Amino acid sequence: MSNRHTLIARRTFLAGMNLAVGGLAVGFFSSDSLADEPTGKLSGPKPTTSSQAEENSARGLNPNVFVHVAPDGLVTIVCHRSEMGQGIRSSLPVLIADELGAEMARVKIVQADGDPVYGDQNTDGSNSVRGIYEDMRRVGATARTMLVAAAAKRWKVSPDTCEASGHVVLHRPSQRKLGFGELALEAGKLAVPKPADVKLRPKNELRNVGKPLPLLDGPAYVNGSAVFGADIRLPGMLTAVIARPPIVGAKVAKYDASRALAVPGVKRVIELPAPKAPYVFQTWGGIAVLAENTWAAMKGRAALEITWDEGENASYDSEQYRKTLSASVASPGTVLRSVGDAETALTKAARVLEAEYHVPHLSHAPMEPPVAVARVEGGTCEIWAPTQHPQAARGTAAQVLGLPPEKVTVHVTFLGGGFGRKSKADFISEVVLLAKEAGVPVRVQWTREDDIRNGYYHSVSAQRLTAGLDENGKVVAWRHRTAFPPIGSTFAPVNRPSLGDLQQGVLDLGIGVPNIRAEACEANAHVRIGWMRSVYNIFHAFSVNSFIDEIAHARGEDSRDVLLEVLGPPRVMKTVQELGIEKLPNYGQPLEKHPVNVARLRGVIERVTELSRWSDRKKEGRALGLAAHRSFLSYVAVVASVVRNPDGKIAVDEAWIVVDAGTVINPDRVKAQMEGSIIFGTSIALYSGITMKGGAVEQSNFRDYRLARIGEAPRKIHVEIVPSEEAPGGIGEPGVPPVAPAIANAVFALTGTRVRELPIAKALKA
């Protein structure tokens, strides 16, 4: 490992912002590195030194925890969300800088520690832009307002005659200018205005927002200087790998540590406490082997002789549980949505269609398995981790150690993928417990097998959909029963989906059917269930879009036309009464601001079928499939092209995806996320699946938990972003849900095999 990968981070403060600087405070747009590059060309990372941070903290403008303007004109912007390849460090800081009026060539971006002063830091739920878009603009606008006020005061003019742009404040009548640095000290002495009193710029004054932006961290990824969790090295550090119970709730019955301790380099063998339900973010339990290096720790773990007390989940079997879920959706559940009288309409329908769909457990499988480093000494704890939720990591560590949260520091490294797995802090529990017990810094390293066999899994599910058709084939009744162990079961003893669970493609399904009924059915959890990219939208979108395709086939009509017919006319549904529900969490946003907009959903369907030349889809040797879905307040439609290769295997050769996500900050990152969604969704559709036998996961690595490989990815992916002035929607997750049903519908069109269970490879073998 090179010296540039070595990080011995210390917490310093930048103008009261409570920022982690050290080796991770990287200045990609610093004035010293880019003084001769006014175009904002990216430089390599340049850490801020402690002395520089202390100097800046004593001077300049610091109106909030996100922005600091130094007397030399350097603007430091804090990114408080985690960077895992989605480009949030290339988007949020640009939004702040544009609102401020800063030149990006004189902006430094710093990664925040986990701290409540930043508000919500959880990089999950596709919320990093949509949930705080206006708040982040006000962050920049506050600093701008104070700089303008300082200039106006010096010139003895009205602030209304001044404007901030290009890193200067300009007095329009006299054309006088003062640089941000020249005003920093004076502005810093002014009273900070209330957020509500700050005026935002007109959108057309945001110079970079909505335009293609560079991936700021790209050079660091390429040249190897980006610091990920496994890159952290501390003096005296030991590396730990853990033999975790193969079954949730299992405990160590007995073990012999002597063979592990005989492996050269192994220093300690420590038994972890067995967790108790609800499991939350506790350690999984098992035996940890601590060694001088990862290889020695792995060899030591392999030498352990452990006998497990398997516990009550040892009988969990995927084939049997599939029958349990089928039985659950075969009977009425708790009604959470009701429009008209679906039951009566079904009994009177001229024709009734019904189908059941199954999706297995899924693993997040990020390229970087969980890892964390911790040092516990002198009543304090310092952690370095690729965490999506640094405040949860901080709180969990404090709880495990019995420390006040303010005694725990969490430094956020780059993440090699996350998909929701790294929102969970179980690996944080492990590392702090071991660091305390060992009395030296410890790195806990999960292997790929650990990640596949001991994670939090996307929930297994069964869906039963029933439709009543009138004499003309029009859908007049719709009933949706859904059963899956909810994520809430990891935190409390619950076995039915909640309103928040069913907002994802059931309660917010904007269909124009006069009689609708949605029911939540019982399902008990036997593994730890956790958030995964797009969450329950995966199986709800799969079942709904597949079922509408089945209806179209039964009627002998174009599935696009039937999908648009079922959705009904363009309209905006702004009340729960229109949806026939008691409440809609709506991803944390008011329904008035983010309504169920059927017009926008229809719009992406019409556009994606136009782009893919849907009307010409009947070409020999290939077939197209269509699906669309609203999730995380965005609207996405996908068309997938499926062919049969010369070897007879089914392949996805081309895909089109259209997204309407409202206001977009960084279209290049949106495009990348949509392309990634196609690949992610293709993996789910064709290959992925976690199955259980005897309570244990049967898969272990990418050889049996398959992802789409290079040769199996679509050779062409076409992305279009709908121009929009609507409020921002999510980006990271909404592209995933329509992919699997689009592929499944294309497979049916090509082969005549109806796919009602994922992965598709399993259906094609049957």
Side-chain angles (χ1 to χ4, degrees):
M1 190 66 66
S2 65
N3 287 337
R4 68 187 177 201
H5 281 143
T6 302
L7 180 66
I8 304 177
R10 291 298 184 195
R11 190 166 195 180
T12 58
F13 290 85
L14 185 61
M17 288 192 227
N18 207 15
L19 309 181
V21 287
L24 201 60
V26 177
F28 292 100
F29 278 136
S30 62
S31 59
D32 55 341
S33 63
L34 295 173
D36 298 323
E37 300 178 88
T39 59
K41 181 180 177 182
L42 302 182
S43 70
K46 289 194 174 184
T48 301
T49 66
S50 296
S51 60
Q52 288 172 330
E54 290 169 4
E55 181 182 356
N56 284 339
S57 68
R59 301 187 299 144
L61 172 61
N62 176 210
N64 50 58
V65 295
F66 296 98
V67 176
H68 176 262
V69 182
D72 64 0
L74 178 64
V75 173
T76 301
I77 296 178
V78 179
C79 183
H80 66 303
R81 296 301 177 104
S82 302
E83 177 60 63
M84 48 189 158
Q86 84 281 31
I88 195 60
R89 284 164 52 97
S90 304
S91 300
L92 273 185
V94 175
L95 179 65
I96 295 171
D98 267 13
E99 189 65 60
L100 171 59
E103 288 288 344
M104 290 305 298
R106 304 187 70 186
V107 171
K108 177 187 293 183
I109 297 167
V110 176
Q111 186 67 43
D113 283 349
D115 198 306
V117 298
Y118 300 109
D120 178 18
Q121 287 184 267
N122 188 14
T123 313
D124 207 342
S126 295
N127 195 43
S128 289
V129 172
R130 68 175 177 84
I132 55 176
Y133 174 78
E134 188 169 299
D135 291 338
M136 291 298 99
R137 288 188 65 184
R138 292 191 184 282
V139 161
T142 299
R144 169 173 50 80
T145 299
M146 297 176 71
L147 289 168
V148 167
K153 183 177 180 181
R154 186 187 295 190
W155 291 324
K156 297 181 172 56
V157 298
S158 170
D160 294 337
T161 63
C162 304
E163 63 183 48
S165 181
H167 230 79
V168 301
V169 176
L170 168 70
H171 180 235
R172 290 187 298 271
S174 67
Q175 292 296 297
R176 285 176 289 179
K177 296 180 181 179
L178 287 170
F180 283 2
E182 296 175 85
L183 296 166
L185 290 173
E186 294 170 64
K189 297 174 183 177
L190 300 176
V192 179
K194 295 179 180 179
D197 296 335
V198 172
K199 292 183 180 180
L200 302 181
R201 292 180 183 273
K203 282 189 177 180
N204 60 9
E205 290 186 11
L206 300 176
R207 297 170 55 197
N208 297 295
V209 168
K211 298 180 177 65
L213 300 172
L215 182 62
L216 306 189
D217 299 313
Y221 298 150
V222 174
N223 66 29
S225 59
V227 178
F228 292 84
D231 294 328
I232 308 300
R233 294 291 183 271
L234 301 178
M237 184 182 78
L238 296 177
T239 294
V241 297
I242 301 170
R244 298 175 182 84
I247 303 167
V248 170
K251 302 176 182 178
V252 175
K254 61 179 181 178
Y255 71 100
D256 182 358
S258 60
R259 291 179 59 194
L261 289 168
V263 173
V266 172
K267 298 299 182 182
R268 294 283 302 274
V269 174
I270 299 173
E271 182 174 353
L272 294 167
K276 297 179 180 179
Y279 298 109
V280 195
F281 300 145
Q282 299 175 66
T283 65
W284 184 278
I287 308 296
V289 177
L290 284 67
E292 294 174 343
N293 57 71
T294 308
W295 181 248
M298 292 173 65
K299 295 292 287 184
R301 179 175 67 173
L304 287 170
E305 295 181 355
I306 306 175
T307 301
W308 301 100
D309 177 356
E310 295 182 335
E312 62 182 14
N313 290 311
S315 62
Y316 187 37
D317 180 278
S318 290
E319 287 301 315
Q320 291 299 316
Y321 195 68
R322 187 186 190 283
K323 298 175 183 177
T324 300
L325 289 177
S326 289
S328 184
V329 296
S331 301
T334 302
V335 178
L336 294 179
R337 183 179 186 185
S338 182
V339 176
D341 187 346
E343 294 301 309
T344 300
L346 285 171
T347 61
K348 294 181 177 180
R351 185 179 184 185
V352 175
L353 300 176
E354 190 165 69
E356 188 172 305
Y357 303 90
H358 289 260
V359 175
H361 287 299
L362 297 168
S363 174
H364 306 81
M367 289 297 104
E368 174 201 41
V371 59
V373 173
R375 175 170 50 210
V376 179
E377 60 183 14
T380 65
C381 174
E382 196 167 12
I383 300 165
W384 294 259
T387 172
Q388 290 177 244
H389 199 342
Q391 289 179 30
R394 186 188 194 212
T396 297
Q399 185 177 24
V400 170
L401 298 172
L403 293 174
E406 57 269 20
K407 295 294 184 180
V408 178
T409 301
V410 176
H411 303 298
V412 182
T413 67
F414 286 120
L415 284 68
F419 313 120
R421 171 60 184 98
K422 293 167 186 171
S423 291
K424 294 90 174 172
D426 58 317
F427 61 106
I428 304 296
S429 294
E430 292 174 341
V431 75
V432 299
L433 190 152
L434 291 173
K436 180 181 180 180
E437 179 68 21
V440 297
V442 170
R443 173 169 69 98
V444 164
Q445 179 65 64
W446 288 50
T447 65
R448 175 64 56 207
E449 288 79 8
D450 296 336
D451 183 47
I452 297 295
R453 289 175 169 165
N454 299 124
Y456 293 75
Y457 301 103
H458 183 266
S459 190
V460 61
S461 75
Q463 316 283 312
R464 176 172 286 199
L465 284 90
T466 310
L469 282 59
D470 65 14
E471 296 81 359
N472 299 316
K474 184 177 177 62
V475 179
V476 294
W478 178 280
R479 184 177 67 204
H480 187 164
R481 289 178 181 159
T482 177
F484 54 91
I487 293 168
S489 63
T490 298
F491 301 89
V494 296
N495 62 4
R496 286 179 190 266
S498 66
L499 288 171
D501 299 334
L502 296 195
Q503 71 171 336
Q504 301 179 38
V506 178
L507 303 184
D508 65 338
L509 179 61
I511 54 175
V513 177
N515 302 285
I516 305 170
R517 184 182 178 95
E519 301 171 8
C521 302
E522 183 176 312
N524 292 305
H526 299 279
V527 297
R528 298 188 299 182
I529 306 295
W531 311 276
M532 195 183 86
R533 186 179 187 182
S534 82
V535 210
Y536 310 121
N537 288 291
I538 290 175
F539 44 70
H540 290 148
F542 173 63
S543 61
V544 168
N545 282 278
S546 297
F547 190 50
I548 292 174
D549 195 76
E550 293 203 41
I551 294 170
H553 178 70
R555 288 169 48 171
E557 298 179 16
D558 187 323
S559 57
R560 173 191 59 186
D561 297 341
V562 173
L563 174 56
L564 291 172
E565 178 191 295
V566 171
L567 290 175
R571 64 198 185 282
V572 177
M573 306 169 79
K574 293 186 175 183
T575 67
V576 292
Q577 290 77 18
E578 293 174 273
L579 293 166
I581 57 179
E582 178 184 328
K583 182 181 179 182
L584 186 69
N586 207 37
Y587 301 97
Q589 295 294 320
L591 194 54
E592 297 77 16
K593 183 179 180 181
H594 284 278
V596 175
N597 193 321
V598 180
R600 293 174 70 184
L601 188 58
R602 290 179 61 97
V604 293
I605 294 168
E606 291 165 349
R607 183 55 183 154
V608 81
T609 51
E610 180 183 3
L611 287 174
S612 61
R613 291 191 279 192
W614 177 265
S615 299
D616 301 330
R617 67 191 180 281
K618 295 180 180 177
K619 293 183 178 180
E620 187 174 349
R622 111 172 166 164
L624 300 183
L626 167 68
H629 193 68
R630 173 195 190 262
S631 67
F632 300 93
L633 311 178
S634 292
Y635 301 80
V636 178
V638 172
V639 168
S641 170
V642 169
V643 298
R644 194 184 294 276
N645 285 334
D647 61 4
K649 293 182 179 180
I650 296 298
V652 183
D653 71 318
E654 197 166 3
W656 296 261
I657 183 167
V658 175
V659 54
D660 181 350
T663 299
V664 166
I665 294 178
N666 190 339
D668 182 70
R669 290 298 90 203
V670 174
K671 183 174 184 288
Q673 287 292 292
M674 293 303 112
E675 291 169 339
S677 294
I678 294 290
I679 304 298
F680 196 89
T682 298
S683 297
I684 292 171
L686 296 180
Y687 304 116
S688 298
I690 292 290
T691 56
M692 317 296 293
K693 193 76 173 178
V697 175
E698 294 186 282
Q699 291 71 33
S700 62
N701 209 311
F702 290 140
R703 64 180 174 273
D704 46 15
Y705 186 79
R706 284 286 308 279
L707 304 180
R709 297 169 183 171
I710 291 175
E712 297 163 331
R715 60 183 177 83
K716 291 183 180 179
I717 299 175
H718 310 273
V719 179
E720 183 166 294
I721 304 167
V722 176
S724 176
E725 293 296 318
E726 298 282 353
I731 289 298
E733 296 169 277
V736 173
V739 178
I743 294 173
N745 291 339
V747 167
F748 173 75
L750 182 68
T751 68
T753 299
R754 178 60 69 183
V755 177
R756 291 178 176 168
E757 181 172 1
L758 297 180
I760 291 171
K762 180 178 179 180
L764 294 178
K765 288 179 181 177

